[in-house]
Amino acid sequence: MTVRAAGSGSAPPAHPAAPAPRPSADTDLERRIARFTAGFSERGGYRAPTDQERLAFTRAFAHLLDGDAEAARTGLSEIDFTLRTVTDAATGHRYAEVADGVSESGHTSRGWGRVYVDLDTPARWSVQVPHPVADARTELLGARVLRGAPGGVLVLAGAHRDAGEDGAADVAHRDDSVFHGVVGELARRNLPGIQLHGFADESFRGRDAVVSTGAGDSAVADAEQLTVALRRDGLQVCTAYSARCKLAGRENEQGRTAADRQSRFLHVELNKTLRGDDRGLDRAAAAIATLTDRWSRR
């Protein structure tokens, strides 16, 4: 198994071919993620990692991107995470799954999340889901976006945004989470990313989506492309990269990190109606795929 991140600026050091992560049975990726998030609630289930734990996870993830699965597995095992191969029965695509070893599925006491990395194509882009369940069905949309183009990395938060004390589990607005560490490593390698959020219809009446480049402006061309795709499908979009919009995500911590590194980052908000059924998720995923497909070929 070799996973290499494209666009990292320098090639990773040569090493012997790494063994594949421990295999699992074929599974539907979306259902697997739905089972994992089913127990999330506002009533706890999150412990903030120590600096050492966060750095250990990020280093192990970097080994995975560099193609050294054995080093990744060793590093992850030291913080009770596992590395395995998941073959998505719906598509036949293989993904490396980084998951909390404390519990194979469902809620865990730590709530640090999961990462899925395409094993068949070098990593070229990411989709990020910081508020699964709280932003209803964004976790399912994340799975569909991952399936939509090769070379993807799905970064999935591991708890409801209100599960931690004093906002600790709201990873979109924290820089001390495992989620932030992973996204920061992707930005360091200059991989473009799209972060998915959801809003109540009454929060921004008359709009189906808000497309933003967050704190930076490196992804304006990407934002324009996504806006065209969404509007082509008849959706009403507020373009926060060129106009004043609610929910623009300027304070998003991952967006700030991307801006500091001049890495491309999109912050996308979708209303509840669009996220409310499979047809709406498919519409959103298809529009996003027009962007991630281009990212996969860069």
Side-chain angles (χ1 to χ4, degrees):
M1 184 277 293
T2 301
V3 178
R4 294 189 186 279
S8 60
S10 61
H15 55 75
R22 293 166 185 163
S24 67
D26 287 1
T27 185
D28 182 280
L29 181 64
E30 187 175 329
R31 285 200 294 268
R32 186 177 185 87
I33 288 171
R35 287 196 301 272
F36 170 60
T37 59
F40 289 8
S41 77
E42 303 172 33
R43 295 187 297 274
Y46 183 79
R47 173 177 74 77
T50 65
D51 290 345
Q52 292 80 6
E53 289 168 332
R54 186 178 68 256
L55 289 171
F57 190 106
T58 304
R59 290 192 191 106
F61 174 66
H63 285 309
L64 179 61
L65 291 182
D66 288 341
D68 193 343
E70 203 55 44
R73 180 181 295 115
T74 298
L76 290 167
S77 68
E78 292 173 357
I79 51 173
D80 294 321
F81 269 75
T82 62
L83 177 63
R84 62 174 58 80
T85 297
V86 171
T87 301
D88 181 22
T91 63
H93 294 164
R94 299 181 311 131
Y95 299 97
E97 178 190 73
V98 179
D100 197 328
V102 175
S103 175
E104 293 291 334
S105 63
H107 202 35
T108 71
S109 59
R110 297 189 294 182
W112 296 349
R114 286 187 178 183
V115 182
Y116 291 87
V117 181
D118 190 337
L119 286 177
D120 298 321
T121 304
R124 298 184 185 276
W125 57 272
S126 75
V127 54
Q128 306 155 21
V129 182
H131 299 148
V133 178
D135 289 354
R137 295 165 63 84
T138 53
E139 64 277 6
L140 306 183
L141 178 58
R144 296 187 191 194
V145 171
L146 182 65
R147 286 168 166 170
V153 178
L154 169 60
V155 190
L156 178 66
H160 190 285
R161 68 182 297 173
D162 296 324
E165 295 183 4
D166 299 322
D170 184 0
V171 296
H173 299 102
R174 305 283 298 205
D175 63 3
D176 59 355
S177 67
V178 164
F179 182 96
H180 185 79
V182 169
V183 176
E185 177 64 20
L186 293 166
R188 187 185 72 80
R189 293 168 183 256
N190 200 30
L191 271 63
I194 182 167
Q195 191 169 115
L196 305 177
H197 293 261
F199 66 94
D201 292 6
E202 58 270 21
S203 297
F204 201 171
R205 295 190 183 278
R207 301 289 186 173
D208 300 300
V210 180
V211 176
S212 173
T213 58
D217 58 7
S218 296
V220 170
D222 300 308
E224 291 172 341
Q225 179 179 341
L226 178 57
T227 297
V228 168
L230 291 166
R231 286 176 171 169
R232 188 183 298 127
D233 192 34
L235 298 173
Q236 299 300 311
V237 183
C238 191
T239 57
Y241 54 90
S242 63
R244 293 179 63 86
C245 299
K246 298 179 181 179
L247 309 170
R250 305 292 186 202
E251 304 302 314
N252 181 281
E253 288 292 344
Q254 293 76 54
R256 286 176 165 177
T257 294
D260 289 344
R261 295 190 173 275
Q262 297 186 321
S263 179
R264 287 180 290 167
F265 173 87
L266 291 182
H267 180 283
V268 178
E269 294 268 3
L270 302 170
N271 73 2
K272 186 175 181 180
T273 294
L274 187 62
R275 292 177 285 115
D277 57 30
D278 284 342
R279 180 175 178 274
L281 291 184
D282 284 342
R283 293 173 70 191
I288 294 169
T290 66
L291 181 61
T292 56
D293 181 64
R294 180 168 63 82
W295 285 350
S296 74
R297 291 183 279 107
R298 68 191 186 98

